[in-house]
Structures are given as structure tokens and as C-alpha cells.
Amino acid sequence: MDSEDSIQQSGEGTTSISALHEDIIRTHILTRLDGPTLASAGCASSQLHELVADDKLWQRICNRTWPSTADPVIGRVISSLPAGHRSFYYDSFPALHHRSSSPGVSRGAHKLNPQTSRMISSVDVRYRNKLILSKTYETETETGWFLCSPFRVDLLDPKETVSSPAKFHGRGEETLQSELENNLTLSWILIDPSTKRAANFSSLRPVSVTFHWLTADVQARYATVLGSFLCTVLVTCRGKEGGDVLQLKEVSLQVEDMEGRTLSGKESLVILQEAMEGGKKVGKRGDDDDDERERYVEFLRRKREMRERKQRRERQLDLVCMATGVTIFVAWVVVLLRRYS
């Protein structure tokens, strides 16, 4: 029996899927599926392919996966994409993995899309699957200040804090770090309306968690390696007295190179646009947290090796300069001794 045209019903043989009313399939079956399963269902038959193309199904999935996409501004931008919410989901799920080493900024600067006037951030933070922060943020990308200044997107004002609705279970430094590593999840999707592309530039869980003993704050770092560049989201949080409420103090995104230098707005825009165009999605979101952490550790290893090579070159240059200086000094002394001898 052809799997495209039939479904198995317990004890009653087979029944053609066309016998089911489309409203039943759409309302009672497809609405229960997650994004990857819905995409697979669309490949099963031409009828399902047509039903799965319904933008409302994908809008529901996007809003459920990323509540910030329910913002009307985001909704209008997503509607302009080639396949609406389905395009957005395909671009943003799962996390972004760059297909190759990114070229240098100097070589890639000409790739900047001149029509890009803004980048839209769609950010969702959860603690123990409870939504803490859901926010959209527009960044103007045409101003001279943006193009020349270090690139950084701050979602919260300096004095603004956001509290978690879920009870905080972290007590003690080690427990606190473990709690956040396992239960504080984040998604940061950047949308470029000019190119009609989007990408998720954050690991689902932190690649590192650092406790600052002086301030008692904890900084969770989320990262995506883009060849020789690193896109980093920093989340600074603290627990109230009694350890029962988790507060977010800072949520920011920036891009740095292998030397640890924060890129300018123009440089970062080139890297982010290139990643949207050339990135690929591998595996299921959440299943490759260890892989993302390994890529981050590998990036740090390469960064450390580059720094060590630079230090060796500088030491060698210092030795050469010292030797040259000593040689010149000795030669000068010899000349003086010969002159006055």
C-alpha cells in the first residue's frame, strides 16, 4: 500500500488519507506537530504539502517557539519573507553553524548590503521553561555612530532588571553555576529586512557561566562561532536575598575577532549578513549544546595559540631590537675609543 495515499487504522485495514476532511487534518493533526515534524509531514504527499504550506500553522509554531515573534513589528517583517513564517522558521531553527571560516573583514567589507538600514532582534529568555524576557529591538545601521563604534546591542537599560516568575533554586557558587548552565535558555534571532533573511545567533544554553565574587553577580555567556569570529550574548543575573528570585541585569550581543577585539558596527554587519547567507543548520536545536560548547572551546584554543604566537613574535622582535641597540652602542664606543686613543 502506498504510504502517500493511505494511513493505517488499528483493526480496520487501511483508509485513504483523502477520506479525511482537510479541516480535520489541519485542525486536529497538523496543529499538534512541532516544526521539524510538520516539515517532514509536508514531504509525505502532495495534499499534505499543500496543507503544510498554510502560513497560520507556521505562525503558531513560531509564536510558540519564540514568543517575541508575536510582536506586530516582527509579524510584518516575517510576512514579507518569501514563504512568510515558514521561511523564518527554516532560517532560525535550529542554531546557526557557519559552513566555513569567515573571510577577513577587509576582504568582506564590500559585501555590505547598501540597502540595510536596520537590524531587528527577536530575543527570548527562559528559566526552567518559564519565560523571563521576550523582547524585540531595532538597531539603526546607517548612522555614522553605528558604523564606526564598537558593535553592541543592549536589551535592558542600565537600571532595568527583569525577574523570573519561576522559583530560583541556586544556592552556593557551584550550585548556582550548574543551575544556570542547565536551566537558563536563550534565543537571539537577528532579522535583516533588506535581504529578507534571519538567523539565530545564540547557543540554546550557556557555553560558560562565571561567578563574580565581588558583586555576587553571575554572567552566562552564549556563543556562536562564525569562522574566525565569535558572536557572543552576555546575560548578567543575580539572585535576591533568600535565593528565591532570579533577576536579569544585562542582556547584550556583540561580535569579536580572534584577538578579542570587539568589531565595529560596519564590520559586525558584514559578518552577520554573511552568516545569514552562508550559514547552515545541522541537527536539532538543543541536541547539539555539547557541540556548540566544543566549538567555543576550540575557538578559545585557537585564540590562545594566536596570542602565544604573537607574544613569541614580539619577544623575538624585542630581542632583535635589543641586539641591534647593543651592536650600535658597542660600535659607537669603539669609534670613540679609536678617535681618542
Side-chain angles (χ1 to χ4, degrees), residues 195-229:
T195 60
K196 302 186 185 302
R197 297 302 300 268
N200 197 333
F201 286 93
S202 170
S203 54
L204 179 63
R205 290 182 172 81
V207 295
S208 69
V209 177
T210 306
F211 181 80
H212 297 273
W213 64 270
L214 184 61
T215 61
D217 291 338
V218 181
Q219 189 176 73
R221 181 183 296 269
Y222 302 77
T224 297
V225 177
L226 306 174
S228 57
F229 301 94

Side-chain angles (χ1 to χ4, degrees), residues 149-166:
S149 301
F151 174 74
R152 181 184 173 99
V153 180
D154 287 294
L155 287 189
L156 302 180
D157 294 330
K159 295 184 179 181
E160 183 181 3
T161 59
V162 179
S163 299
S164 167

Side-chain angles (χ1 to χ4, degrees), residues 55 59 63 68-85 88 118 120 136 138 191-194 196:
D55 188 65
Q59 181 180 11
N63 294 167
S68 57
T69 59
D71 186 301
V73 174
I74 296 289
R76 287 193 293 271
V77 174
I78 293 177
S79 298
S80 68
L81 302 182
H85 286 82
F88 179 81
R118 58 176 178 153
I120 303 177
T136 60
E138 290 193 33
I191 310 169
D192 185 351
S194 65
K196 302 186 185 302

